[in-house]
Amino acid sequence: MVETGWVKSSHSGQNGDCVEVRREGTRGVGFRDSKCPDGPVMVVGHESGRRFLAAVARDGELGGA
């Protein structure tokens, strides 16, 4: 399986309260809590990951301030 490094938004602050994302090869897209890098990883299919990332990129789509 080909895995790339973890990425977090350039809008993230320095406090470390972030969700990180990475490609999980053919499995899909992985998400984890940046405060717990050795903790669990949630993996979703590529299409679900794409839709989620597109939704959070739009202002207010997921209830943002």
Side-chain angles (χ1 to χ4, degrees):
M1 165 180 25
V2 176
E3 295 177 352
T4 60
W6 289 100
V7 177
K8 62 182 170 183
S9 172
S10 60
H11 297 286
S12 298
Q14 297 300 319
N15 62 4
D17 294 337
C18 306
V19 173
E20 296 177 319
V21 63
R22 79 172 175 191
R23 180 178 216 124
E24 295 286 334
T26 59
R27 292 175 42 203
V29 179
F31 295 91
R32 74 175 182 183
D33 182 345
S34 65
K35 294 183 307 293
C36 190
D38 295 324
V41 174
M42 179 180 72
V43 178
V44 299
H46 290 288
E47 183 61 19
S48 295
R50 185 196 66 75
R51 287 181 183 199
F52 176 77
L53 293 171
V56 297
R58 291 189 292 269
D59 290 341
E61 177 74 14
L62 296 176

